[in-house]
Amino acid sequence: MSRQRVFTADKLREECGVFGISGNEDAAAHTALGLHALQHRGQEAAGIVSFDGRLFHSHRALGLVGDHFSNEAVIGALPGHAAIGHVRYSTAGAPLLRNVQPLFADFAFGGLALGHNGNLTNALVLRRQLVEQGCLFQSTSDTEVIIHLIARSRQPTVIERLIDALSQVQGAYALVALSADALYGVRDPLGIRPLVIGELDGAPILASETCALDIMGARFVRDVEPGEVVSATLSGIESIKPFAMPPRRFCIFEYVYFARPDSAVEGQSVYEVRKRIGAELAREAPAPADIVIPVPDSGVPAAIGYAQAANLPFELGLIRNHYVGRTFIEPSDRIRHLGVRLKHNANRSTVAGRRVVLVDDSIVRGTTSTKIVAMVRNAGATEVHMRVASPPTIHSCFYGVDTPERSQLLAAQNNLEAMARIIGVDSLGFLSLDGMYRAVGGAPRDAFQPQYCDACFSGDYPTLLEDFGHGGSADQLSLMLEER
Amino acid sequence: MSRQRVFTADKLREECGVFGISGNEDAAAHTALGLHALQHRGQEAAGIVSFDGRLFHSHRALGLVGDHFSNEAVIGALPGHAAIGHVRYSTAGAPLLRNVQPLFADFAFGGLALGHNGNLTNALVLRRQLVEQGCLFQSTSDTEVIIHLIARSRQPTVIERLIDALSQVQGAYALVALSADALYGVRDPLGIRPLVIGELDGAPILASETCALDIMGARFVRDVEPGEVVSATLSGIESIKPFAMPPRRFCIFEYVYFARPDSAVEGQSVYEVRKRIGAELAREAPAPADIVIPVPDSGVPAAIGYAQAANLPFELGLIRNHYVGRTFIEPSDRIRHLGVRLKHNANRSTVAGRRVVLVDDSIVRGTTSTKIVAMVRNAGATEVHMRVASPPTIHSCFYGVDTPERSQLLAAQNNLEAMARIIGVDSLGFLSLDGMYRAVGGAPRDAFQPQYCDACFSGDYPTLLEDFGHGGSADQLSLMLEER
Amino acid sequence: MSRQRVFTADKLREECGVFGISGNEDAAAHTALGLHALQHRGQEAAGIVSFDGRLFHSHRALGLVGDHFSNEAVIGALPGHAAIGHVRYSTAGAPLLRNVQPLFADFAFGGLALGHNGNLTNALVLRRQLVEQGCLFQSTSDTEVIIHLIARSRQPTVIERLIDALSQVQGAYALVALSADALYGVRDPLGIRPLVIGELDGAPILASETCALDIMGARFVRDVEPGEVVSATLSGIESIKPFAMPPRRFCIFEYVYFARPDSAVEGQSVYEVRKRIGAELAREAPAPADIVIPVPDSGVPAAIGYAQAANLPFELGLIRNHYVGRTFIEPSDRIRHLGVRLKHNANRSTVAGRRVVLVDDSIVRGTTSTKIVAMVRNAGATEVHMRVASPPTIHSCFYGVDTPERSQLLAAQNNLEAMARIIGVDSLGFLSLDGMYRAVGGAPRDAFQPQYCDACFSGDYPTLLEDFGHGGSADQLSLMLEER
Amino acid sequence: MSRQRVFTADKLREECGVFGISGNEDAAAHTALGLHALQHRGQEAAGIVSFDGRLFHSHRALGLVGDHFSNEAVIGALPGHAAIGHVRYSTAGAPLLRNVQPLFADFAFGGLALGHNGNLTNALVLRRQLVEQGCLFQSTSDTEVIIHLIARSRQPTVIERLIDALSQVQGAYALVALSADALYGVRDPLGIRPLVIGELDGAPILASETCALDIMGARFVRDVEPGEVVSATLSGIESIKPFAMPPRRFCIFEYVYFARPDSAVEGQSVYEVRKRIGAELAREAPAPADIVIPVPDSGVPAAIGYAQAANLPFELGLIRNHYVGRTFIEPSDRIRHLGVRLKHNANRSTVAGRRVVLVDDSIVRGTTSTKIVAMVRNAGATEVHMRVASPPTIHSCFYGVDTPERSQLLAAQNNLEAMARIIGVDSLGFLSLDGMYRAVGGAPRDAFQPQYCDACFSGDYPTLLEDFGHGGSADQLSLMLEER
């Protein structure tokens, strides 16, 4: 018997979401709610650290926020008016509790908790130097490098130490941090990962997306700017921009898949952008079909946009089973296509005898698409025209997204015709990179200085990749210790 | 702090789903898959009993199928070529493991396992008689009455004992049972609850809905007929109809909400019926609006039907959080409308400045509708016109559905105008009972002999209600024992 | 790797202890204490049922009393002024929760809980009859037969039904039972198992041994008499003797090993009897030695008696590790004699260069003795003379004691000389059966009508053995259901 | 309701035991056995780290060794030919998993695991300095100071870094450590805590006591010398003595209570020393009595020695319940003396009507003694003469033993007469400090340079107490983080 990972098995996976609040007497409960709204950004572990004016309190657990942070005992053990929280995927191997964030350390100046969305691209190089100097690492997380850099900084204040540490790292980071004195939020100079500021009855909030504000009825204030360090203390919010300021490069894939459709990031409604992507796709890649059906749920907004632009009926041709967990037994070959069937079923009455446009947000390995197309055909569709609401994904991401090896990316290994054959469709169409920029709504792509990070489509990485350039890899970060 | 039950909190709840398979060497694994596909029919407990030719093996657990029946250890401990399974809600109080089905008993003729979807309406009367005769009851389940009636029957064969027992009960039942010799399926004479026959590589299957066949690639054969007793042995499937045969009265609410949209029950696609319901609703209750938005997920098919018939755009104006569990802390009044926000968020960019038709499948207490309407208004909708894809729900169900007291049913206590005011909409429209029958697609409703069980709308109950008629209630079935 | 059962692995095992109290507002807490004091009578499971005037409350668990009944949550969920409890070994196979006592049933007259120490010798015959009549059994316990006999009795009162049921059974039983009206205690007509009456501030108590009274400062009142049925109600304690009254046959092995040394059973101090046994053994089987050492802890009283009678020094030549649990890994043959070493270690400084008398209470398989003797020799003892404080154990017990097959009983297969050679001692001596009777202190053994049940030594069984006589065996009592 | 800690509640508690083995293919399994034999030295947590030639593997758990390290899954996850292990008490507050040893760290030179028995007396001072320098502490354990000192050492080899680190600490330590290259053992220069070397089929072993050798049939080689650093590599065992060598000061209380009676420490059998202590006590403090009874189990050897010297019968007047766990409910004042009764019961038949000498190893708070004496009197003893097999305990220990505040030490607050009155005895006698030295067997106590650490009796501490001297206390070591 073998196990089959079924949940978002064939998607790129955002690795983290962060949340912080200060000046609210139910800080941990609100943080749990915010993390629940950000659950789509990381489903393997969650953690909250609160500060009660004297002590920090921490609870971290493998699993969903609702599994561990929805009962009174846990929330009651996280007292205080300020808290930060984190949801995460683990990048590799068994998820380990010691890697779950927020990380916490006792410094000479007191305690500091830190939650990080993104990924550093020189963590390995820095880690080697720090170990040489006598630093002891507890985790394999790149975030711990920041902790040690803060500990060894000779700067006098917490914020200056934080800036000192961050000035040494490369890569993507949206951070929330909590000290005895302040709640901090930072985005890297390129602004690759999102971070927004909100406010609830006077209490400042930081969150990866606006949906975490909506869940508690908080007001959206503004995005944290790229390279901005925000600190919220009793005397209000202060902002400084201590780093060099290159042009911004927000991750365009946040619009394609990562962010929730009801969020607005970098000033744009994700749902509306996705509908425009679908409309653009209908113009670029029309199809001779009777109905438009989405791969639920991520393909729905683009499919609605496609259907409206193409003036075709939008129908639920695939039904999703919402009770699906991560794994299920596949007892033998006698049970075929189990993985995808646990999550989806074709709606025979809708697709039988019809020519179908099947809309998905992206194609990674193509394995799920292949199974879904077969399922739709078995249910009687006469033609299947697949339309993908993003350009072909052909490069790895080093900024906090879990991408397969290039050898596993369908579009990195095959041309359009070969892909259509593998997936089994009558026709296949991707959105162009320019169409993508049009849908996002600003200027056409500037090839010398693209306005977004679109490296997964273009291979144009906006930062140095020190850890990855010389044959090194993050695997070398693993501890020598296997702990049960 | 108080807890808020958020999942389907304001819906009628089907109480059970059943599955059985015989002649397949992975019987328990297939049963687990079938139950997973039927998970929407009962989410509080699941159980499987297998038979290996010598011994029966049982595992029952509180929680989802995927939580308990997706690992090799559990499935490996359920060997054999035949198995039956059951998912359930508990009707009242703390869910107890001893009430989880399939029930099993050692009879003089050997073992028999039994899973029951539905509810008996004379269980209390029968139980009192049996206890007087020296029977010892282990559970508070009405199904155990059937077990004791089988044990005390003087009939010579298992199937005759089963028929003898069922001839004494009233109410709704779709049963699967497993003895050393055969797999059995029975529907009550009115056919209130669904049960279908499938086939996988020659192995006969019984399941509440066809979606449980699709998940494993099994073929749909036919519905079990009302009053039919099917038995599958090594020599094939046999069918007998031992009971009096009144006209059929299938539960019409299965089409409204209970069944999965990709299932076909009683010969009709649930999705297509729901779209026709939406179209009928658009004709009966048009609205001056810019967009049609569903309450996801149950309102989606009717909203698509409504939008197509009304020629209005279908949009996702409410986004559902799929990670929601059953409960979350509500730390204080400072967090408002928490229940609904854990599960839904209004999509501000879509509804702001627009007149909205909001489509839901049914209204029970109205509490969720009230919160959702407020949320849509807060997000900027200029008008909200609610359209409900069923008639007003004004009577309790005694046939295996968990309905609130009549005093809690919004439509039982208020006229249309009052309901619209409570919910806070600009206009409110329900589908008529005749419109419902039109959408289902057969003849107009025969008031003297309705073709469906529509008692929750009409109060016209198709069976005697012996346990409930004289002020008695199922609460008296509780054991004197509180067990941890 | 294989597992090694180390705890009392080579001892006969009493299968149960019972306790009951009525009229005390902390009834469940006192019952937990009483069971803790009786823990030596059964270590695999424990259960308590309380009655609060309206409902019965039950908690049963696999494991020690202190593991499950020492916290407020459990005790708080067992309210009421009356409670009974039970500790047990399982006789065979995996211990199953459904076999854990007290058993409880809802009868026509109300609830009744029952705890049983002993074993019925016609349970299988009765069970077959009851199943034929339509009774459904939930466990493999012989005690459930009594429950069904009560349920089917036509007698008008609880106590008359209880007596009616017991008049049909054979074997050994000391029972405590609890109904809404009374606390009951019964001993079988031969009085094979012990049961005493105590009193704490006016509240009547029933317990297997007096040590359960001492732990809570309760007063010993008297033994329940063989064949006596005691009932404690608000109007006081009543006693009836409804059965035929054969001469009493108390289990003599309770003095040898089962009972705790600080208990008094049937009017005699267990410690003093054991010391007299040791003294008698010194007279019957003297040894040319320097020191007397016990196999701790059960051999200690007899060794003290032996040492005093023989005028030899009593020394701790074996040290017991009190942290030993039931099992430990035995990774390979490279770790020798692991089982016994987990529990005992030879005290080298004491035994080296000395001639040792090694005193144990009994020999069953002889495997532990063999290992201990080797350990003492390895530690440097020059001679080892083993003296056993009971006659050779050569017959199985059918009265609630777990005895190995006769083929596994060392003394049933070998004469004295062969046993000494197998165990590896310089000499071996057992107490004679007459010496045993002398030590217990009454008249010499009456061969035609022995004053005690000494069947394990003599083969003289005091009851019919209906279940065992005709090739039948208790194995046939197993359910057809394997439940996880 | 309140909880009562009953297990060794009124004893000084050794805080740790250590074990290590190298060159054995079942290293972790043997370590588990060794820790099981050392369980009396620490019962709140246990941990093992193994090394498989490439990676270190760790498992640490709160609870007994047998609870967590006796199953194949755990041991199988600890592969390798070398392992070290640790059992511990926690000193204060809730036991925390992050404080459980062995500690492990990834250094620039590779991994190192460390287990520590003892306590440092300048850990707080060193910790403050290290935090100032940017070190991040993960635990509140003094042992982590050694880890950071190793990390920051500029020495080239592991052993030189270890020595460099230890040359900066004060206090008591018996250490085992494991690197990729070697197994290390170290005792502090005074040799306060024990550590022995053993050998099993060529594999070197380190253990706190010889009983850990006996359990696996290993050979005792010799004690590690005070101030000695032993390292076992493939090329054999090497020994160096890098520290200044003051006269040795072994903890004399190891003979009184900590060590197991079947162990030999510093060349002497613990059992024989205890018997000599009892004999010395009989000479110093005779009593007019009929029998000698021990407080089991720790008082047994001294009681045997006393009885033999006084020529009085040794009897079991108190019976111990070996199933006692750490806590039990004390539901109300109606249950009196519960704590002690859970563990002991007076043997009425033995003490009634007799004058009793009651022998215990030491008196700390006196609370248990008071309850036991009352229990013995209630059982009918006519006189109770308590004899204590050590001098009065009047000073705290700072070397790894959990001592109450001086205000709680009975002998620190009362003279002999007052103590006798509090405890309720007819007479009370302690062993003199000189008697103690006589029993241990060497020269009389040298008041200027005592041959043992007897600070708990004399107040003569053999090391500086930097952390404790200036009003500072180990409480300041607590982290700012409360982690669930």
Side-chain angles (χ1 to χ4, degrees), chain B residues 113-259:
Chain B
L114 188 69
H116 173 205
N117 175 26
N119 192 60
L120 307 185
T121 55
N122 66 335
L124 180 54
V125 170
L126 291 170
R127 184 181 179 119
R128 282 194 193 118
Q129 293 166 1
L130 288 162
V131 168
E132 282 300 320
Q133 292 161 26
C135 286
L136 296 171
F137 277 75
Q138 299 299 318
S139 73
T140 58
S141 160
D142 58 332
T143 311
E144 194 181 349
V145 167
I146 302 176
I147 297 284
H148 282 284
L149 291 174
I150 294 170
R152 302 179 69 86
S153 172
R154 303 282 87 190
Q155 296 296 321
T157 69
V158 177
I159 197 164
E160 285 167 302
R161 282 177 174 229
L162 178 60
I163 292 165
D164 186 10
L166 293 175
S167 66
Q168 301 172 61
V169 306
Q170 300 163 1
Y173 51 86
L175 299 176
V176 293
L178 184 66
S179 74
D181 300 320
L183 169 70
Y184 307 91
V186 192
R187 277 176 88 192
D188 65 73
L190 296 162
I192 295 175
R193 294 280 149 242
L195 190 64
V196 303
I197 304 177
E199 177 268 324
L200 177 65
D201 299 334
I205 295 177
L206 295 164
S208 292
E209 297 180 27
T210 59
C211 63
L213 305 177
D214 293 342
I215 197 173
M216 60 193 69
R219 187 174 62 88
F220 170 69
V221 177
R222 63 170 175 90
D223 291 273
V224 175
E225 291 295 305
E228 184 180 7
V229 179
V230 169
S231 62
T233 63
L234 286 179
S235 32
I237 294 187
E238 284 182 63
S239 162
I240 52 177
K241 298 196 176 174
F243 308 116
M245 295 289 286
R248 65 171 61 194
R249 296 288 289 273
F250 181 64
C251 166
I252 205 165
F253 213 92
E254 293 276 351
Y255 288 119
V256 172
Y257 176 72
F258 297 146

Side-chain angles (χ1 to χ4, degrees), chain C residues 1-3 7-8 24-26 29-30 32-33 36-41 43 64-66 69-73 75-76 89 200-201 210-211 214-218 260-263 269-272 275 297 300-301 304 308 313-317 319-325 327-329 331-332 334-338 341-350 354, chain D residues 1-3 7-8 24-26 29-30 32-33 36-41 43 64-66 69-73 75-76 89 200-201 210-211 214-218 260-263 269-272 275 297 300-301 304 308 313-317 319-325 327-329 331-332 334-338 341-350 354:
Chain C
M1 299 193 186
S2 70
R3 291 187 146 267
F7 214 20
T8 60
N24 179 292
E25 66 187 281
D26 295 314
H30 282 87
L33 287 174
H36 171 66
L38 298 171
Q39 187 78 79
H40 59 291
R41 297 183 75 86
Q43 297 156 45
L64 297 182
V65 177
F69 292 90
S70 61
N71 69 72
E72 295 173 25
I75 295 297
Y89 279 116
L200 177 65
D201 299 334
T210 58
C211 63
D214 293 341
I215 197 173
M216 60 193 70
R260 248 176 62 170
D262 49 336
S263 285
S269 155
V270 174
Y271 178 77
E272 297 300 332
K275 275 187 62 187
D297 288 336
V300 172
I304 291 176
Q308 290 177 354
F314 169 87
E315 299 283 357
L316 294 194
I319 301 298
R320 180 170 168 178
N321 183 340
H322 290 299
Y323 303 102
V324 70
T327 60
F328 229 91
I329 281 189
S332 68
R334 287 178 295 279
I335 302 185
R336 291 173 301 271
H337 306 318
L338 180 55
R341 275 186 174 152
L342 286 171
K343 194 171 154 192
H344 294 117
N345 188 24
N347 188 358
R348 183 175 302 270
S349 69
T350 302
R354 289 198 173 114
Chain D
M1 299 196 188
S2 71
R3 289 186 147 270
F7 214 20
T8 62
N24 179 292
E25 64 188 284
D26 295 314
H30 281 88
L33 287 175
H36 170 66
L38 298 170
Q39 187 77 78
H40 60 290
R41 296 183 75 86
Q43 297 155 46
L64 296 181
V65 177
F69 292 91
S70 61
N71 69 72
E72 297 173 26
I75 295 296
Y89 278 117
L200 176 66
D201 298 335
T210 58
C211 64
D214 293 341
I215 197 173
M216 61 193 69
R260 245 174 63 168
D262 49 335
S263 285
S269 154
V270 173
Y271 178 77
E272 296 300 331
K275 275 187 62 186
D297 287 336
V300 172
I304 291 175
Q308 289 178 354
F314 167 88
E315 299 283 356
L316 294 194
I319 301 299
R320 180 170 168 179
N321 182 340
H322 289 300
Y323 302 102
V324 71
T327 59
F328 228 90
I329 282 191
S332 69
R334 286 177 296 278
I335 302 184
R336 293 173 299 271
H337 307 316
L338 181 56
R341 275 185 173 151
L342 285 172
K343 196 172 155 193
H344 294 117
N345 188 25
N347 187 358
R348 182 175 301 270
S349 69
T350 302
R354 290 199 171 112

Side-chain angles (χ1 to χ4, degrees), chain B residues 11 31 35 50 57 91 143 153 176 206 229-230 254 257 265 313 332 378 386 389 391 416 439 465 471 474:
Chain B
K11 294 290 179 190
T31 303
L35 293 181
S50 72
H57 304 267
T91 45
T143 311
S153 172
V176 293
L206 295 164
V229 179
V230 169
E254 293 276 351
Y257 176 72
V265 287
S332 67
N378 286 340
M386 184 146 200
L416 191 69
L465 302 174

